[in-house]
Amino acid sequence: SQQGEEDPQALSIQEGENATMNCSYKTSINNLQWYRQNSGRGLVHLILIRSNEREKHSGRLRVTLDTSKKSSSLLITASRAADTASYFCATVPTDSWGKLQFGAGTQVVVTP
Amino acid sequence: EADIYQTPRYLVIGTGKKITLECSQTMGHDKMYWYQQDPGMELHLIHYSYGVNSTEKGDLSSESTVSRIRTEHFPLTLESARPSHTSQYLCASSEIFNEQFFGPGTRLTVL
């Protein structure tokens, strides 16, 4: 079953704008991770946030985690055309021994 | 340079053929995974391994099989390919609870 559900399914913005996507999950987790996938390629790890953390930054990325609401958000600031990709959240449930459970992803298109 | 490799990148094959998708990593990771992904859809875990001679089935039932004889190598085999096996197959490796490193994927088409 799908652990993570992402919202929106698709997002179209212009260069320079911020992009925000949300992820909700169902069970208690060890950590939550965000990945990017360019069309037809493998996934690239972006950021990992542990269950005892509330916010994390990496370059133009900002991730928040609210374990009480079982939700996370990914913010990409000052987007670029190269940010066009699908973004997936993935949780590591506490009883999963490191196995990731992926959401369906958000397709982001950044136009010049 | 530490990396994870998959071959072939693309495979078009007829129904009934036996195929093996290769996956190798140079990072010394004990944990390796196979995912199946249809275009624009989520990833589904079909097999995983926590070390040599350890293999488990994932959340999505699959007719494929895997083996783990060496730490760095985790091949996936389909004994008799069918059109329903058409999909993208992604291999990954990790240290437990940490980020997973993904290969570029194999796009399989069964005619």
Side-chain angles (χ1 to χ4, degrees):
Chain A
S1 63
Q2 189 172 312
Q3 162 77 328
E5 295 187 7
E6 295 176 65
D7 170 53
Q9 290 184 317
L11 181 60
S12 182
I13 56 174
Q14 291 191 315
E15 272 192 325
E17 294 181 338
N18 295 342
T20 300
M21 58 210 86
N22 303 295
C23 170
S24 61
Y25 57 92
K26 298 174 184 175
T27 64
S28 61
I29 61 171
N30 180 280
N31 66 65
L32 183 145
Q33 303 174 29
W34 286 90
Y35 289 80
R36 183 186 73 228
Q37 184 180 35
N38 291 94
S39 180
R41 306 285 297 181
L43 277 70
V44 174
H45 181 265
L46 296 176
I47 198 164
L48 181 155
I49 186 165
R50 302 188 190 283
S51 60
N52 61 352
E53 297 175 312
R54 292 297 168 257
E55 187 171 313
K56 208 161 183 181
H57 297 256
S58 176
R60 293 184 295 112
L61 305 179
R62 173 178 170 257
V63 169
T64 63
L65 178 64
D66 187 335
T67 53
S68 66
K69 296 181 179 178
K70 291 187 169 57
S71 67
S72 174
S73 68
L74 171 66
L75 168 68
I76 306 172
T77 60
S79 62
R80 307 166 181 169
D83 294 329
T84 295
S86 292
Y87 292 82
F88 292 88
C89 74
T91 57
V92 178
T94 52
D95 60 350
S96 72
W97 288 96
K99 291 186 292 180
L100 289 174
Q101 293 192 1
F102 283 86
T106 294
Q107 292 186 335
V108 176
V109 175
V110 182
T111 53
Chain B
E1 180 178 323
D3 213 335
I4 181 163
Y5 306 93
Q6 288 186 246
T7 57
R9 290 292 317 280
Y10 302 92
L11 180 62
V12 181
I13 202 163
T15 297
K17 299 293 186 182
K18 177 180 179 178
I19 62 168
T20 296
L21 308 184
E22 302 287 349
C23 176
S24 295
Q25 51 98 3
T26 60
M27 294 171 280
H29 288 160
D30 286 330
K31 286 73 182 175
M32 295 190 74
Y33 312 85
W34 276 104
Y35 294 89
Q36 185 174 340
Q37 183 188 30
D38 292 324
M41 303 296 286
E42 69 193 277
L43 282 73
H44 292 284
L45 181 68
I46 53 174
H47 297 284
Y48 61 100
S49 168
Y50 285 162
V52 171
N53 295 325
S54 156
T55 61
E56 301 286 345
K57 290 189 178 295
D59 302 323
L60 180 68
S61 176
S62 174
E63 295 169 346
S64 58
T65 59
V66 292
S67 62
R68 190 87 183 276
I69 299 173
R70 303 196 317 265
T71 297
E72 63 272 22
H73 193 213
F74 191 40
L76 180 146
T77 298
L78 274 166
E79 290 292 333
S80 180
R82 295 192 279 115
S84 61
H85 297 139
T86 294
S87 190
Q88 175 160 254
Y89 293 84
L90 294 164
C91 180
S93 71
S94 76
E95 295 298 327
I96 196 167
F97 298 134
N98 290 341
E99 63 182 285
Q100 291 188 10
F101 294 84
F102 282 80
T106 294
R107 189 171 295 278
L108 172 66
T109 301
V110 184
L111 303 176

